[in-house]
Every structure is written in C-alpha cells, then in structure tokens.
Amino acid sequence: MGHDTKLEELAIKLFSIDAVKMGEFTTKSGIKTPVYFDLRVIVSYPEVMEMISNLLQEYAIKDCAYDHVCGVPYTALPIATLLSVITKKSMLMRRKETKSYGTKKSIEGHYKAGQTCLIIEDVVTSGSSVLETVKDLRKEGLKVNKAVIILDREQGGSANLLNNDVEITSLFTMTSLIEILYKNRKITEEMMLKVKAYIKETQAVVLEPSVDRLLLPYEKRAELATNQIAKQLFNIMATKKTNLCLSVDLTSVTSILDLLEKVGEHICMVKTHVDIIEDFNKDFVTQLKQIADRFNFLILEDRKYADIGHTVSMQYMKGVYKVGEWADCVTAHSLPGDGVLKALNGHMNSVSRGVFLLAEMSSEGNLISPEYKDATVAMAVKYPDLITGFVCQNKDTFKDPGLIQLTPGVQLESSKDSLGQVYNTPEKVILENGADVIVVGRGIVAAKSPETQVVIYKDALWKCYTKRVSGKLE
Ligand SMILES: O=c1ccn([C@@H]2O[C@H](COP(=O)(O)O)[C@@H](O)[C@H]2O)c(=O)[nH]1
C-alpha cells in the first residue's frame, strides 16, 4: 500500500473514532474553531496507534539521526513509547511538574549532554507545548532540532518552532486532513470550505517570543510591556534592585505607615488589604502615597474583585475606600467573565492603572483547574493596556515577557500555616517556578525585627533573580 493510501486510511479512521470532530468548539487559547482534534482517544484503538507509529517511522523519521525520542506530555507519550520500541532508540520522559523530593529531575531516562533528541507530538497549534519540552531537554545539554507531529493545525506552530531552531515534519496539516475527509465524503463541501476559511483567518497567529521571559532582565522587559504599571514596576525593580512586594496585612493605620517608613527603600511594591484596617481614613491614603513616592514603590490593593462588571465598577470607585483613586493596581478574579476587566478598563482614563488577574492561588485545596488558568490567560489578551500580569505559581502559566508573574506564598523555609497557606522558598519560586515579583507578608511583618528581615528577604530574592537571568542554573 502506498504512503498516500495509508495516510488516507488513517485520516478516515481518526474521523470514525471521533478523534476529529466537526462543530463549534473553543480552543485552549479562547479561539472559536469549526474543527477539533482529540487525539487522546487513540489509546483505546491499538490498530490506530500502530498505524500512526508505523507512518511516523516510515515517513517522518526515517532519515533523521537521533539518540533518543521524547514525547510531549501527555497524549504523545504512548506514541513515543511505540516509536522507541520500533526504532530501538531510547526514550526520555519529561515531567510537567518537577518532583519536590528524590532526584527532582524534569527529564527521566539515561542520557548524556551533547546527545540528540527527537520530539514526538500529537497536535501543534502555536508550538508552545513542544517548546516547553524542547527547553527542558536543552537545559540538560541535549540537542533538539527536530519534532515529528501527527497534525499541524497551520496556526503559526511551525514558524514559531523554526524561530526557535526546531524543524517540524507532520503526517497531516489541517488542510490535507480535511481534503481527505471531503474526498471520501465524510464531510460536506460546505464544512470543508468553512474549515479552509477558518485556517486562512487564523493563520496569522502571533509569533511565540523566541526569547524566554525568565532569562530577560527586568529593564528589557520594561521595554516590552504594554501596561504602564508593568513598565513602571519593571523599571523600579531594575533601579532599586529589589523584586520584593511587601504584603502589609496589618490592621491599624500607624502600624502600616510606621513599617513602610522603615522598609520602603527595600521594596518595589506594597500590597494592601484596606478592608482589614480598623481606623481607615482618607489621610491614610494621602500619607501612604507620599511614602510610596518618596521611596519609589507602587501600591497594589489586593481586593480580588469577583463580581459582575457593574458592581465591580462601583466597588472600585465608590464606598469608603475609593480604591481607583489611589491604588496603582488591583487584583481581580476571572471567574465572573471579562465584565470585571471591562469595568476596570472603563476607569483607566488619563491615569495609569493596572490589574493582576488571579490565574492560580497559593492556598491548599483551591479549586482552580488547568483549564480555568488557561482561560484566564486567554481573557487577558484582549486587555493589553490594562493587564499588568498574573498572580500565579508556575512559570508555564504565561509566556509574554511584557507581563509580570506575581507570586505569593513565600517564606525562607517551605512550610504551611494552619489555614491552608502554602509557602515555598525564594529559590523554588524564582528559579523553578518563574516568579518575577515576590509577595512576602508574615515572613517580614510578623518577624521580631521587620527592618532586619526585609533586607534578608530582599537579598535572597534578588540573588535568585540575578542567577536566573545569568542563565547559570544547575
Ligand atoms: O494566591 C494567593 C493570592 C494572594 N495572597 C495574598 O498574599 C498575602 C500572603 O501573605 P503571607 O503572610 O505571606 O502568607 C496575603 O495578603 C494573601 O491575601 C496569597 O497568599 N495567595
């Protein structure tokens, strides 16, 4: 049987097992699509797994020289396993989350720096999942320049990957697959044309930055930021050499102002919860702003807005606190939909303001799922002038180097409090998890001498950041 016939047979098979679906779907990045590929189902069909691995071997990887194969987690793992067995090449496995115990390795298997690894992936859209795996393998000294893919959605992935020195070969493009299905009367002409029109519309996907945000210094990232507060914050960090945001969770005006007088020179931002202050008054805000100006730090009110847009609009500007009048930036949940962002955006007239969207939380048992996190990041894309960054815990949450990863739940030792707060160390949050601005509350505020402790934190956090941007990670 010829190669084209085998591909045709596979395309029809994928359609019959519902790995290719027609209708109206929303992708991980929030784009509407008339066709959806769910190749996770292939594990239930050994004959399909066999067809795919044979075709990849005969067609895509026959002439490649490589020492290992590595599947992009998770759908491609069984295919990589089969290919490893067929080709008698060793397999490497990338962990999505590094272990906090034992070897702490992100790549499992035996390998040597300088060896070559071939990537296996099921579907490529922007290429970002392939890139995450490529980066982890390259960190180990492995050479990675080639990926073989079952389906290329033709939405910028191959260009993004080439931009990062990775060439791809795919069994199908979305166009070739759809043409086979039409030729074999599995879909109507109308559906085929709809998919082709969709491919044309979405082909101009923005190039993934070839630059890794984690390796870029703050001053460079300031140039890439579109939100004015993100720009300011990057510049403050670079100038003052501090990425410490102090969470002043104290309940009286004088305790907050006195503390800020002592520690202001060491922080890039202060984070408040104004609704816990028992003697809040307008004068507090005036003094807070004066101290912030004098020591050159920003003010983040951690209000975590989470209501319908109309209510958020009033909560932001009205009531006792009138947050919009004095806070440089605020936090908000994406849960109610982007009405929250529309409301906050409506108040950004002449003043620079920003929003940190909560994409993840530090507390144990929180209900945020990977899908919710991705949808939060997709929501932010529509508000480039408003979004300062994300409150999150992981480096893979977003890629844009102009946005800021704000990470709470940090103390010098890993621990937990009695109400579910989880603390990670500066090394873990900056070097492993990608934090840009680090929120510390009780680690400093509850210390015997906050003015001594603030310097200890500032130095530890800055040391990790300089190590990260120097690229000298062990
Ligand atoms: O996921 C989140 C989001 C916000 N916070 C806030 O940060 C500080 C942390 O204070 P610690 O004393 O260092 O625990 C606090 O104001 C939280 O409301 C968070 O912890 N986790």
Side-chain angles (χ1 to χ4, degrees):
M1 207 194 288
H3 170 69
D4 288 351
T5 322
K6 286 186 196 166
L7 275 180
E8 210 163 309
E9 201 187 316
L10 175 61
I12 295 167
K13 193 78 196 162
L14 288 173
F15 185 73
S16 73
I17 64 169
D18 247 5
V20 182
K21 295 185 180 62
M22 302 292 170
E24 189 154 298
F25 310 91
T26 306
T27 65
K28 197 165 109 173
S29 49
I31 303 170
K32 291 235 178 316
T33 166
V35 55
Y36 182 71
F37 302 97
D38 181 7
L39 297 193
R40 280 168 295 204
V41 299
I42 62 177
V43 288
S44 305
Y45 302 90
E47 70 284 12
V48 177
M49 300 278 284
E50 194 177 16
M51 281 165 100
I52 292 175
S53 41
N54 284 338
L55 273 166
L56 284 173
Q57 196 255 330
E58 285 164 21
Y59 165 63
I61 63 179
K62 209 172 63 200
D63 301 323
C64 298
Y66 57 96
D67 303 300
H68 309 276
V69 292
C70 179
V72 176
Y74 292 99
T75 312
L77 293 184
I79 297 291
T81 313
L82 282 176
L83 278 171
S84 156
V85 173
I86 297 173
T87 59
K88 304 277 177 293
K89 295 281 184 185
S90 92
M91 181 167 115
L92 299 176
M93 277 213 302
R94 173 188 171 242
R95 290 180 173 279
K96 270 190 138 181
E97 253 104 62
T98 39
K99 292 190 287 181
S100 55
Y101 58 91
T103 58
K104 294 190 178 173
K105 284 170 105 176
S106 68
I107 304 296
E108 300 287 0
H110 287 171
Y111 54 87
K112 288 192 188 113
Q115 288 182 322
T116 313
C117 185
L118 176 73
I119 304 282
I120 318 292
E121 175 61 310
D122 60 333
V123 179
V124 160
T125 305
S126 71
S128 56
S129 302
V130 170
L131 267 186
E132 279 166 19
T133 298
V134 169
K135 278 177 192 159
D136 276 359
L137 290 164
R138 284 182 178 164
K139 250 190 233 161
E140 298 296 313
L142 286 152
K143 290 189 195 142
V144 193
N145 300 99
K146 173 113 188 136
V148 295
I149 318 289
I150 302 174
L151 175 90
D152 175 3
R153 286 188 62 113
E154 300 171 275
Q155 288 170 309
S158 68
N160 282 331
L161 288 165
L162 210 52
N163 199 26
N164 286 277
D165 231 2
V166 181
E167 187 199 333
I168 70 165
T169 306
S170 60
L171 291 184
F172 301 105
T173 59
M174 191 136 68
T175 308
S176 73
L177 185 76
I178 237 64
E179 281 175 350
I180 296 175
L181 294 179
Y182 172 62
K183 187 180 137 203
N184 288 276
R185 299 183 186 199
K186 298 292 169 196
I187 58 168
T188 60
E189 184 176 19
E190 188 194 351
M191 182 51 82
M192 183 205 40
L193 294 175
K194 196 168 173 187
V195 174
K196 283 196 168 177
Y198 162 76
I199 296 171
K200 221 174 177 180
E201 266 167 39
T202 53
Q203 241 165 3
V205 165
V206 182
L207 276 191
E208 284 281 317
S210 57
V211 47
D212 184 347
R213 77 170 163 97
L214 305 176
L215 298 175
L216 265 193
Y218 295 139
E219 52 271 41
K220 282 269 169 270
R221 291 177 63 184
E223 292 166 17
L224 302 171
T226 38
N227 169 252
Q228 289 309 311
I229 295 299
K231 233 180 226 312
Q232 275 186 44
L233 191 47
F234 277 131
N235 282 327
I236 290 174
M237 290 195 282
T239 316
K240 288 179 74 176
K241 297 200 188 321
T242 174
N243 48 7
L244 170 61
C245 166
L246 181 68
S247 185
V248 276
D249 297 337
L250 296 168
T251 55
S252 80
V253 160
T254 38
S255 59
I256 294 175
L257 298 175
D258 285 354
L259 178 61
L260 289 176
E261 285 290 356
K262 289 179 192 148
V263 304
E265 66 181 292
H266 303 295
I267 63 176
C268 61
M269 187 156 72
V270 66
K271 187 176 83 59
T272 55
H273 282 294
V274 271
D275 54 355
I276 65 171
I277 304 175
E278 289 176 338
D279 51 351
F280 177 87
N281 56 64
K282 263 187 133 180
D283 195 40
F284 164 72
V285 170
T286 315
Q287 291 188 59
L288 176 65
K289 290 230 45 102
Q290 279 169 1
I291 299 176
D293 284 346
R294 189 149 35 85
F295 288 112
N296 190 24
F297 62 76
L298 297 182
I299 304 171
L300 165 65
E301 165 53 21
D302 193 5
R303 175 61 181 75
K304 299 191 181 72
Y305 294 102
D307 213 316
I308 60 165
H310 178 69
T311 305
V312 167
S313 176
M314 292 191 293
Q315 287 172 323
Y316 184 62
M317 286 311 285
K318 306 278 178 199
V320 180
Y321 305 116
K322 301 191 190 350
V323 174
E325 289 183 4
W326 52 270
D328 296 299
C329 44
V330 293
T331 51
H333 282 290
S334 56
L335 182 78
D338 76 344
V340 177
L341 299 182
K342 276 190 195 131
L344 295 170
N345 210 23
H347 294 292
M348 314 284 144
N349 301 328
S350 49
V351 279
S352 302
R353 293 285 184 252
V355 172
F356 281 98
L357 260 188
L358 276 105
E360 287 175 306
M361 291 199 71
S362 61
S363 46
E364 215 167 35
N366 72 75
L367 300 180
I368 294 179
S369 66
E371 290 74 27
Y372 179 96
K373 180 181 75 172
D374 289 341
T376 302
V377 175
M379 185 187 287
V381 173
K382 283 198 273 166
Y383 299 88
D385 295 336
L386 178 71
I387 300 295
T388 308
F390 298 96
V391 178
C392 63
Q393 298 286 323
N394 281 293
K395 66 176 187 317
D396 297 333
T397 303
F398 69 96
K399 302 260 176 307
D400 187 339
L403 294 173
I404 294 177
Q405 174 173 339
L406 182 79
T407 300
V410 180
Q411 287 203 354
L412 296 174
E413 303 288 334
S414 304
S415 61
K416 288 181 186 171
D417 75 4
S418 60
L419 297 175
Q421 172 71 304
V422 179
Y423 292 111
N424 286 307
T425 61
E427 289 76 17
K428 170 102 180 151
V429 297
I430 297 176
L431 297 175
E432 281 181 44
N433 296 355
D436 295 315
V437 174
I438 295 84
V439 176
V440 181
R442 285 164 285 175
I444 293 171
V445 173
K448 262 195 202 135
S449 166
E451 52 271 55
T452 312
Q453 199 68 354
V454 78
V455 179
I456 295 173
Y457 270 92
K458 173 182 118 170
D459 291 346
L461 296 169
W462 193 255
K463 197 169 145 203
C464 292
Y465 156 74
T466 49
K467 187 170 176 182
R468 185 173 88 189
V469 289
S470 74
K472 289 189 194 121
L473 306 179
E474 60 271 349

